[in-house]
């Protein structure tokens, strides 16, 4: 049964203990760092934001500079630093004037 239980991590983004990812999101030290220090909630929020950035800025993950941009934004987002907002994005509660 223990395998089914959620891992708990001390999430860097939310500064509290939350369920973590089941496995690193990608190989290498950065994937391992995210696995150990970022909650599933923060990772899912990043993935939604990442899609917005890719779509709005028409990024191509084939281009090294676009991948570097996304990786840099991911680090900023997960570390609660200033990150690029998708310009067309308006949080739902503010969208009605």
């Amino acid at each position: 049964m223990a395998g089914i239980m959620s891992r708990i991590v001390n999430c860097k983004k939310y500064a509290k203990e939350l369920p973590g990812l089941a496995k690193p999101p990608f190989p290498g030290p950065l994937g391992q760092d995210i696995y150990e220090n970022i909650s599933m909630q923060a990772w899912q929020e990043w993935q939604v934001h990442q899609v917005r950035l890719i779509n709005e800025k028409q990024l191509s993950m084939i281009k090294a500079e676009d991948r570097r941009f996304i990786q840099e934004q991911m680090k900023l987002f997960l570390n609660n630093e200033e990150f690029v907002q998708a310009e067309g994005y308006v949080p739902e509660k503010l969208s009605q004037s």
Side-chain angles (χ1 to χ4, degrees):
M1 277 301 240
I4 298 171
M5 300 282 294
S6 294
R7 288 173 54 250
I8 300 297
V9 298
N10 190 2
C11 180
K12 275 197 295 197
K13 182 160 181 71
Y14 293 112
K16 62 182 177 184
E17 294 196 341
L18 291 165
L21 297 168
K23 61 186 188 353
F26 42 81
L30 183 58
Q32 191 63 33
D33 183 55
I34 290 167
Y35 176 71
E36 292 171 5
N37 300 297
I38 298 297
S39 66
M40 188 181 306
Q41 176 188 348
W43 182 249
Q44 288 170 340
E45 288 171 12
W46 161 248
Q47 291 193 298
V48 169
H49 185 69
Q50 172 180 265
V51 168
R52 260 190 227 116
L53 286 176
I54 290 169
N55 290 344
E56 188 162 295
K57 299 195 176 297
Q58 299 180 334
L59 302 177
S60 167
M61 293 301 97
I62 295 168
K63 295 181 183 168
E65 66 268 21
D66 289 0
R67 288 196 309 272
R68 272 194 302 273
F69 172 78
I70 284 294
Q71 191 171 61
E72 190 55 40
Q73 292 307 306
M74 176 187 69
K75 290 176 188 173
L76 295 172
F77 179 91
L78 295 175
N79 286 312
N80 282 324
E81 296 174 44
E82 285 294 314
F83 59 92
V84 172
Q85 297 285 342
E87 290 156 34
Y89 174 66
V90 178
E92 289 188 24
K93 59 183 172 278
L94 302 177
S95 63
Q96 302 192 326
S97 339

